Amino acid sequence: MSPQMLSLLTDATLQTLSMVLVAGALACLGGIPLGLFLALCGPGDLLPRPALHRLLGLVVNAARSTPFIILVVAIVPLTRALTGTSIGTAAATVPLTLAAIPFIARVVEAAVREVDHGLLDAARAMGARPGQIIRLVLLPEARAGILRGLTLAAVNLVGYSAMVGAVGGGGLGDLGIRYGYQRFMPEMMLAVVLILIVLVQILQSGGEALARKLDKRHLKG
Amino acid sequence: MVRLTGLRKVFGGKGKPAVTALDGVDLVAPTGSITAIIGPSGAGKSSLLRAVNLLERPDSGSVIVGGQDLTALTEADLRRARQSIGMIFQHFNLLANRTVAGNVALALELAGWPRDRIGPRVAELLDLVGLTDKAGQYPAALSGGQKQRVGIARALAPNPQLLLCDEATSALDPETTRQILDLLRRINRQLGLTVLLITHEMSVVREVADHVVVLEAGRIIEQGDVTRIFTHPQHPTTRDFLAGETGTRLPAALAARLSPTARPGDVALVRLHALGPVAAGPVLAGFALAGVAASLVAGRVQALKDIPFAALVLALKGDAAAIAAEITHLRAQGADIEELGHVAADAVAFN
């Protein structure tokens, strides 16, 4: 492998990492609160806001059913307004973030709804305010599930970040397509795929290890 | 004291069939007593108990705990009132991600106790329920009985005046059930705590209750002192519950052969409930002295509040007048005797 190739791979890996991390962090900022709202504000939930809940549910579903590659193109004006350009790593972060927010919202919602309803009864019987129930009961009990969901989201982001490569987003996907496919360099393609596999592996096992550490529901031998 | 008046609760409606869970329930649980609410599943027991701390708000009626009508309180005042009502659950409802000590501390954190007072109070409670050595464990490492002890410690933490027990022993084995009931009894005596519990097991009632409330289809069909309910049950449902507990429920084959009138050669079946000296006395010999052959078909003698309590099904063969005289005699001594009917002698192995 030539030094040139190596430097291309290093740059691309760093670009992918930055896209995944920045988009992931921003999406958490939007997705976790949205997920909590979806889990807590439905009809019959702790803090019912049925009308807004319905509306946000529809928006989340609409965003999740839009194919990612179409989303990327469709929001180019927004991307330009936010980053001044529609190509490159920074620009790619915008659609990545937007795609990850509804995904994270749904996994957070699922994790919070998984918490045993009996715990809500116990907390209410102890005189807990809704805010205390969320802070002291729901979030601590759901944290392992939330973390597993976020791991899933991070792995998905790695996949999506490879896709934005196709529209000039930079990163490993871009490298794989331009060098590996279009210039027919199978060793480059192989290197890109291997790096992606390693990246996903690290995210998955890191996330799972942390979730296990936080999860006290089962006895560990 | 807990006073429930005219509680009604209907579930469903809006297209779904309405289910009446509580149909006008009036109940008084005196301070410092253990009141057991028993009934078949679907009788409304859980709705009744959950109405006491308004986890389920009744459609109408009042809930007075410690002189305060909870149904009239604002949300904030209700939350404060709930801190003086502890509750334990069939499935314990402990936080899996908090240690034993952390679970007990939660009740105090929610009640707004200062941090420096929480630690000593938690230690005190873990000592009370015998779990001091488990303070740092997570619930997953505990047995069912230990989890319920944590639940009890948590419920008692903010010094409540009332403890609600929602089928607290139904998920436990008989030996663990006995230990938890002993603990409840001990707490009731030591702390003067009023306890309201629901159960579908008459054995739980026999072991801990002072007062019994029998619930069926959302209505109280019978209530009274536990001794009275066990020795003189009035309602057929109460009798049936009791028969299950005392082993005096007639086998179906035998029950099918019962006839209200006697044919020649028949024997009379009676069910007898008696407490104290009568229960411990020579009941069978009494019949024999009257010239009546009495044989034991089913039943047992158990302790009811440490006093012998007999529940027996007897087959009596002899002169009808002699049988009636002996029954009258036993009733005069305080026994409850239910005449079940007559069967052919061979049905109960008389020849």
Side-chain angles (χ1 to χ4, degrees), chain B residues 230-349:
Chain B
F230 269 77
T231 52
H232 297 89
Q234 303 297 315
H235 195 280
T237 302
T238 315
R239 288 184 174 274
D240 188 55
F241 255 109
L242 205 55
E245 158 65 4
T246 56
T248 57
R249 192 173 278 153
L250 290 187
L254 187 55
R257 293 181 64 176
L258 272 181
S259 128
T261 52
R263 291 149 304 191
D266 271 3
V267 297
L269 285 186
V270 300
R271 184 186 281 127
L272 173 144
H273 294 128
L275 191 69
V278 186
V283 175
L284 297 185
F287 278 106
L289 284 175
V292 177
S295 98
L296 188 56
V297 176
R300 60 178 75 132
V301 180
Q302 297 162 292
L304 177 63
K305 289 181 149 186
D306 302 328
I307 300 171
F309 167 66
L312 310 170
V313 173
L314 302 176
L316 306 172
K317 187 178 169 69
D319 176 48
I323 292 175
E326 184 58 19
I327 286 177
T328 308
H329 172 66
L330 286 168
R331 279 182 176 150
Q333 289 182 289
D336 172 73
I337 295 171
E338 183 186 357
E339 293 176 62
L340 300 172
H342 304 265
V343 290
D346 66 312
V348 287

Side-chain angles (χ1 to χ4, degrees), chain B residues 94 131 134 141-151 176 180:
Chain B
L94 302 178
L131 283 179
K134 301 282 181 195
L142 303 183
S143 69
Q146 289 170 331
K147 285 182 193 169
Q148 195 57 288
R149 284 167 190 274
V150 179
T176 313
I180 293 295

Side-chain angles (χ1 to χ4, degrees), chain A residues 116 118-119 121-130 132 136-137 140-143 214-219, chain B residues 50 53-56 79 82-83 85 87 89 93-98 106-107 109-111 138 140-141 154:
Chain A
D116 181 0
L119 295 183
D121 279 349
R124 288 176 61 216
M126 286 187 273
R129 293 189 302 272
Q132 289 176 314
L136 295 173
V137 177
E141 289 294 304
R143 65 189 180 190
L214 289 180
D215 195 348
K216 309 290 185 191
R217 279 176 298 183
H218 311 286
L219 266 186
Chain B
R50 292 164 66 87
N53 59 2
L54 297 192
L55 278 189
E56 270 171 32
R79 284 196 288 267
R82 279 176 176 159
Q83 283 160 8
I85 305 174
M87 189 168 191
F89 303 86
N93 297 353
L94 302 178
L95 273 67
N97 291 303
R98 276 189 179 231
L106 177 64
E109 289 168 32
L110 292 173
Y138 287 92
R154 179 176 70 179

Side-chain angles (χ1 to χ4, degrees), chain A residues 48-141:
Chain A
R49 298 281 185 281
L52 187 58
H53 187 268
R54 229 185 116 103
L55 178 71
L56 287 179
L58 280 173
V59 171
V60 164
N61 286 345
R64 292 205 55 209
S65 48
T66 309
F68 180 64
I69 202 80
I70 294 176
L71 180 79
V72 172
V73 180
I75 64 160
V76 160
L78 176 71
T79 307
R80 237 183 228 132
L82 287 173
T83 63
T85 172
S86 64
I87 53 169
T89 309
T93 307
V94 178
L96 282 175
T97 306
L98 275 187
I101 285 175
F103 183 82
I104 288 178
R106 285 297 184 204
V107 295
V108 168
E109 177 190 10
V112 173
R113 287 200 187 278
E114 276 293 297
V115 174
D116 181 0
H117 206 268
L119 295 183
L120 294 187
D121 279 349
R124 288 176 61 216
M126 286 187 273
R129 293 189 302 272
Q132 289 176 314
I133 294 180
I134 295 167
R135 198 162 43 82
L136 295 173
V137 177
L138 287 176
L139 286 180
E141 289 294 304

